[in-house]
Short mmCIF file of all heavy atoms in Angstrom, two decimals:
data_model
loop_
_atom_site.label_atom_id
_atom_site.label_comp_id
_atom_site.label_asym_id
_atom_site.label_seq_id
_atom_site.Cartn_x
_atom_site.Cartn_y
_atom_site.Cartn_z
N MET C 136 -0.32 -13.64 18.05
CA MET C 136 0.61 -14.73 17.75
C MET C 136 1.48 -14.44 16.52
O MET C 136 2.66 -14.76 16.53
CB MET C 136 -0.13 -16.06 17.60
CG MET C 136 -0.61 -16.60 18.92
SD MET C 136 0.77 -16.73 20.09
CE MET C 136 -0.11 -17.05 21.58
N PRO C 137 0.96 -13.86 15.44
CA PRO C 137 1.87 -13.49 14.34
C PRO C 137 2.93 -12.48 14.78
O PRO C 137 4.06 -12.52 14.31
CB PRO C 137 0.95 -12.90 13.28
CG PRO C 137 -0.37 -13.49 13.55
CD PRO C 137 -0.44 -13.67 15.04
N MET C 138 2.55 -11.58 15.69
CA MET C 138 3.52 -10.61 16.19
C MET C 138 4.62 -11.30 16.99
O MET C 138 5.81 -11.03 16.80
CB MET C 138 2.83 -9.57 17.07
CG MET C 138 1.86 -8.69 16.34
SD MET C 138 0.91 -7.74 17.51
CE MET C 138 1.37 -6.12 17.03
N VAL C 139 4.22 -12.18 17.90
CA VAL C 139 5.18 -12.90 18.72
C VAL C 139 6.08 -13.77 17.84
O VAL C 139 7.30 -13.81 18.02
CB VAL C 139 4.45 -13.76 19.79
CG1 VAL C 139 5.41 -14.68 20.51
CG2 VAL C 139 3.71 -12.87 20.77
N THR C 140 5.48 -14.43 16.89
CA THR C 140 6.24 -15.28 15.98
C THR C 140 7.20 -14.45 15.14
O THR C 140 8.33 -14.87 14.88
CB THR C 140 5.28 -16.07 15.07
OG1 THR C 140 4.36 -16.79 15.90
CG2 THR C 140 6.01 -17.04 14.21
N GLY C 141 6.79 -13.27 14.74
CA GLY C 141 7.68 -12.39 14.00
C GLY C 141 8.89 -11.97 14.81
O GLY C 141 9.98 -11.79 14.26
N LEU C 142 8.72 -11.84 16.11
CA LEU C 142 9.84 -11.45 16.96
C LEU C 142 10.93 -12.52 17.00
O LEU C 142 12.10 -12.22 17.24
CB LEU C 142 9.35 -11.14 18.38
CG LEU C 142 8.45 -9.91 18.49
CD1 LEU C 142 7.92 -9.76 19.92
CD2 LEU C 142 9.16 -8.64 18.06
N ILE C 143 10.57 -13.77 16.74
CA ILE C 143 11.57 -14.83 16.66
C ILE C 143 12.55 -14.55 15.53
O ILE C 143 13.72 -14.92 15.60
CB ILE C 143 10.87 -16.20 16.49
CG1 ILE C 143 10.11 -16.55 17.78
CG2 ILE C 143 11.86 -17.30 16.14
CD1 ILE C 143 9.24 -17.77 17.68
N MET C 144 12.07 -13.88 14.49
CA MET C 144 12.94 -13.56 13.35
C MET C 144 14.08 -12.62 13.74
O MET C 144 15.12 -12.63 13.08
CB MET C 144 12.12 -12.94 12.22
CG MET C 144 11.17 -13.88 11.56
SD MET C 144 12.05 -15.26 10.81
CE MET C 144 10.78 -16.47 10.81
N ILE C 145 13.89 -11.85 14.78
CA ILE C 145 14.98 -10.98 15.24
C ILE C 145 16.17 -11.84 15.63
O ILE C 145 17.31 -11.60 15.21
CB ILE C 145 14.54 -10.11 16.45
CG1 ILE C 145 13.46 -9.12 16.03
CG2 ILE C 145 15.74 -9.38 17.04
CD1 ILE C 145 12.83 -8.40 17.20
N MET C 146 15.91 -12.87 16.43
CA MET C 146 16.99 -13.74 16.88
C MET C 146 17.61 -14.49 15.70
O MET C 146 18.82 -14.62 15.60
CB MET C 146 16.48 -14.73 17.93
CG MET C 146 17.58 -15.59 18.48
SD MET C 146 17.18 -16.55 19.94
CE MET C 146 15.62 -17.26 19.56
N LEU C 147 16.77 -14.99 14.79
CA LEU C 147 17.31 -15.72 13.64
C LEU C 147 18.18 -14.82 12.77
O LEU C 147 19.23 -15.23 12.31
CB LEU C 147 16.17 -16.30 12.81
CG LEU C 147 15.55 -17.58 13.34
CD1 LEU C 147 14.36 -17.99 12.50
CD2 LEU C 147 16.57 -18.69 13.38
N LYS C 148 17.73 -13.60 12.54
CA LYS C 148 18.50 -12.69 11.70
C LYS C 148 19.82 -12.34 12.35
O LYS C 148 20.86 -12.32 11.70
CB LYS C 148 17.70 -11.43 11.41
CG LYS C 148 18.43 -10.48 10.48
CD LYS C 148 17.58 -9.33 10.08
CE LYS C 148 18.22 -8.52 9.09
NZ LYS C 148 18.82 -7.62 8.72
N ARG C 149 19.81 -12.07 13.63
CA ARG C 149 21.05 -11.69 14.32
C ARG C 149 22.00 -12.88 14.49
O ARG C 149 23.20 -12.72 14.35
CB ARG C 149 20.74 -11.10 15.69
CG ARG C 149 19.85 -9.89 15.68
CD ARG C 149 20.49 -8.57 15.66
NE ARG C 149 21.72 -8.49 16.41
CZ ARG C 149 22.66 -7.61 16.12
NH1 ARG C 149 22.51 -6.78 15.14
NH2 ARG C 149 23.77 -7.55 16.84
N ALA C 150 21.46 -14.06 14.77
CA ALA C 150 22.32 -15.21 15.04
C ALA C 150 22.78 -15.91 13.76
O ALA C 150 23.93 -16.35 13.69
CB ALA C 150 21.58 -16.21 15.93
N CYS C 151 21.91 -16.00 12.78
CA CYS C 151 22.23 -16.81 11.60
C CYS C 151 22.43 -15.98 10.32
O CYS C 151 23.02 -16.46 9.37
CB CYS C 151 21.13 -17.82 11.36
SG CYS C 151 20.86 -18.95 12.74
N GLY C 152 21.87 -14.79 10.28
CA GLY C 152 21.98 -13.95 9.09
C GLY C 152 20.65 -13.86 8.34
O GLY C 152 19.74 -14.66 8.55
N THR C 153 20.58 -12.88 7.47
CA THR C 153 19.35 -12.62 6.72
C THR C 153 18.91 -13.79 5.84
O THR C 153 17.73 -14.13 5.83
CB THR C 153 19.49 -11.33 5.89
OG1 THR C 153 19.81 -10.25 6.78
CG2 THR C 153 18.23 -11.00 5.14
N PRO C 154 19.82 -14.43 5.09
CA PRO C 154 19.34 -15.53 4.23
C PRO C 154 18.70 -16.67 5.03
O PRO C 154 17.69 -17.24 4.59
CB PRO C 154 20.61 -16.03 3.53
CG PRO C 154 21.55 -14.89 3.58
CD PRO C 154 21.24 -14.16 4.85
N TRP C 155 19.24 -16.98 6.20
CA TRP C 155 18.66 -18.04 7.02
C TRP C 155 17.31 -17.60 7.59
O TRP C 155 16.38 -18.39 7.68
CB TRP C 155 19.62 -18.43 8.15
CG TRP C 155 20.79 -19.19 7.64
CD1 TRP C 155 22.00 -18.69 7.26
CD2 TRP C 155 20.86 -20.60 7.43
NE1 TRP C 155 22.82 -19.69 6.83
CE2 TRP C 155 22.15 -20.89 6.94
CE3 TRP C 155 19.97 -21.65 7.62
CZ2 TRP C 155 22.56 -22.17 6.62
CZ3 TRP C 155 20.38 -22.94 7.30
CH2 TRP C 155 21.65 -23.18 6.81
N ALA C 156 17.21 -16.34 7.99
CA ALA C 156 15.94 -15.84 8.52
C ALA C 156 14.86 -15.84 7.43
O ALA C 156 13.71 -16.19 7.70
CB ALA C 156 16.13 -14.43 9.09
N VAL C 157 15.24 -15.46 6.23
CA VAL C 157 14.28 -15.47 5.12
C VAL C 157 13.85 -16.91 4.81
O VAL C 157 12.66 -17.17 4.57
CB VAL C 157 14.87 -14.78 3.86
CG1 VAL C 157 14.00 -15.00 2.65
CG2 VAL C 157 15.06 -13.30 4.13
N THR C 158 14.79 -17.84 4.84
CA THR C 158 14.46 -19.24 4.61
C THR C 158 13.49 -19.75 5.68
O THR C 158 12.52 -20.46 5.36
CB THR C 158 15.74 -20.11 4.61
OG1 THR C 158 16.61 -19.61 3.59
CG2 THR C 158 15.43 -21.56 4.35
N ALA C 159 13.75 -19.40 6.92
CA ALA C 159 12.85 -19.80 8.01
C ALA C 159 11.47 -19.17 7.82
O ALA C 159 10.44 -19.82 8.02
CB ALA C 159 13.44 -19.40 9.36
N PHE C 160 11.43 -17.90 7.42
CA PHE C 160 10.16 -17.22 7.18
C PHE C 160 9.35 -17.95 6.09
O PHE C 160 8.16 -18.19 6.24
CB PHE C 160 10.39 -15.76 6.78
CG PHE C 160 9.19 -15.11 6.15
CD1 PHE C 160 8.07 -14.84 6.89
CD2 PHE C 160 9.18 -14.81 4.79
CE1 PHE C 160 6.95 -14.25 6.31
CE2 PHE C 160 8.08 -14.24 4.20
CZ PHE C 160 6.96 -13.96 4.96
N VAL C 161 10.02 -18.31 5.00
CA VAL C 161 9.34 -19.00 3.90
C VAL C 161 8.84 -20.36 4.36
O VAL C 161 7.69 -20.75 4.06
CB VAL C 161 10.28 -19.12 2.68
CG1 VAL C 161 9.69 -20.04 1.61
CG2 VAL C 161 10.56 -17.75 2.09
N SER C 162 9.65 -21.09 5.11
CA SER C 162 9.22 -22.42 5.56
C SER C 162 8.06 -22.32 6.55
O SER C 162 7.10 -23.10 6.47
CB SER C 162 10.38 -23.20 6.17
OG SER C 162 10.83 -22.62 7.35
N VAL C 163 8.12 -21.36 7.47
CA VAL C 163 7.01 -21.17 8.41
C VAL C 163 5.75 -20.74 7.67
O VAL C 163 4.65 -21.22 7.98
CB VAL C 163 7.39 -20.15 9.51
CG1 VAL C 163 6.17 -19.75 10.33
CG2 VAL C 163 8.48 -20.70 10.41
N SER C 164 5.91 -19.89 6.68
CA SER C 164 4.75 -19.45 5.90
C SER C 164 4.09 -20.62 5.21
O SER C 164 2.86 -20.78 5.25
CB SER C 164 5.18 -18.41 4.86
OG SER C 164 5.69 -17.27 5.48
N PHE C 165 4.89 -21.46 4.56
CA PHE C 165 4.34 -22.61 3.85
C PHE C 165 3.69 -23.59 4.81
O PHE C 165 2.55 -24.02 4.61
CB PHE C 165 5.45 -23.30 3.05
CG PHE C 165 4.99 -24.52 2.34
CD1 PHE C 165 4.20 -24.42 1.20
CD2 PHE C 165 5.32 -25.78 2.80
CE1 PHE C 165 3.75 -25.56 0.54
CE2 PHE C 165 4.88 -26.92 2.15
CZ PHE C 165 4.10 -26.82 1.02
N LEU C 166 4.41 -23.95 5.87
CA LEU C 166 3.88 -24.92 6.83
C LEU C 166 2.63 -24.41 7.54
O LEU C 166 1.67 -25.16 7.73
CB LEU C 166 4.94 -25.30 7.86
CG LEU C 166 6.08 -26.18 7.35
CD1 LEU C 166 7.18 -26.29 8.40
CD2 LEU C 166 5.55 -27.55 6.97
N SER C 167 2.64 -23.16 7.92
CA SER C 167 1.47 -22.63 8.63
C SER C 167 0.27 -22.53 7.69
O SER C 167 -0.86 -22.75 8.11
CB SER C 167 1.78 -21.27 9.26
OG SER C 167 2.09 -20.32 8.28
N PHE C 168 0.51 -22.23 6.43
CA PHE C 168 -0.61 -22.17 5.48
C PHE C 168 -1.24 -23.55 5.31
O PHE C 168 -2.45 -23.66 5.12
CB PHE C 168 -0.14 -21.62 4.13
CG PHE C 168 -1.25 -21.24 3.22
CD1 PHE C 168 -1.95 -20.06 3.42
CD2 PHE C 168 -1.64 -22.07 2.19
CE1 PHE C 168 -3.00 -19.70 2.60
CE2 PHE C 168 -2.69 -21.73 1.35
CZ PHE C 168 -3.37 -20.54 1.56
N MET C 169 -0.41 -24.59 5.40
CA MET C 169 -0.92 -25.95 5.25
C MET C 169 -1.51 -26.51 6.54
O MET C 169 -2.46 -27.29 6.49
CB MET C 169 0.21 -26.89 4.78
CG MET C 169 0.83 -26.47 3.47
SD MET C 169 -0.36 -26.29 2.16
CE MET C 169 -0.29 -27.90 1.47
N LEU C 170 -0.99 -26.11 7.71
CA LEU C 170 -1.35 -26.75 8.97
C LEU C 170 -2.26 -25.93 9.89
O LEU C 170 -2.97 -26.51 10.71
CB LEU C 170 -0.08 -27.12 9.75
CG LEU C 170 0.87 -28.10 9.07
CD1 LEU C 170 2.15 -28.23 9.88
CD2 LEU C 170 0.21 -29.45 8.88
N VAL C 171 -2.22 -24.64 9.78
CA VAL C 171 -2.96 -23.78 10.72
C VAL C 171 -4.33 -23.45 10.13
O VAL C 171 -4.44 -23.01 8.99
CB VAL C 171 -2.16 -22.49 11.03
CG1 VAL C 171 -2.95 -21.56 11.93
CG2 VAL C 171 -0.82 -22.83 11.66
N ALA C 172 -5.36 -23.67 10.93
CA ALA C 172 -6.73 -23.47 10.46
C ALA C 172 -7.13 -22.01 10.38
O ALA C 172 -7.93 -21.63 9.52
CB ALA C 172 -7.69 -24.22 11.38
N ASP C 173 -6.61 -21.16 11.25
CA ASP C 173 -7.01 -19.75 11.29
C ASP C 173 -6.30 -18.98 10.18
O ASP C 173 -5.13 -18.64 10.28
CB ASP C 173 -6.68 -19.15 12.66
CG ASP C 173 -7.25 -17.76 12.83
OD1 ASP C 173 -7.72 -17.17 11.85
OD2 ASP C 173 -7.22 -17.26 13.97
N ARG C 174 -7.03 -18.73 9.10
CA ARG C 174 -6.45 -18.05 7.94
C ARG C 174 -6.04 -16.61 8.24
O ARG C 174 -5.07 -16.12 7.68
CB ARG C 174 -7.44 -18.07 6.77
CG ARG C 174 -7.67 -19.44 6.23
CD ARG C 174 -6.41 -19.93 5.58
NE ARG C 174 -6.52 -21.35 5.33
CZ ARG C 174 -5.51 -22.19 5.44
NH1 ARG C 174 -4.33 -21.78 5.79
NH2 ARG C 174 -5.67 -23.47 5.20
N GLU C 175 -6.77 -15.94 9.10
CA GLU C 175 -6.42 -14.56 9.43
C GLU C 175 -5.06 -14.51 10.11
O GLU C 175 -4.22 -13.69 9.77
CB GLU C 175 -7.49 -13.95 10.34
CG GLU C 175 -7.33 -12.48 10.56
CD GLU C 175 -8.54 -11.87 11.24
OE1 GLU C 175 -9.35 -12.60 11.83
OE2 GLU C 175 -8.66 -10.64 11.17
#
């Protein structure tokens, strides 16, 4: 699942640009750390 989720960043980077993809990465990282039980 982290691999599949990482592949979404390809589309974000190409469609919106690197700053938007990095912002999405940071928000997903924060939200998943707070909401997802599987730490690994």
Side-chain angles (χ1 to χ4, degrees):
M136 288 305 169
M138 294 170 119
V139 171
T140 305
L142 294 175
I143 292 172
M144 292 299 155
I145 294 171
M146 184 168 46
L147 281 175
K148 183 173 186 261
R149 301 266 325 154
C151 301
T153 302
W155 287 92
V157 170
T158 302
F160 164 70
V161 170
S162 67
V163 169
S164 297
F165 178 74
L166 288 171
S167 63
F168 193 77
M169 301 305 268
L170 299 173
V171 177
D173 188 349
R174 292 292 167 217
E175 189 169 18

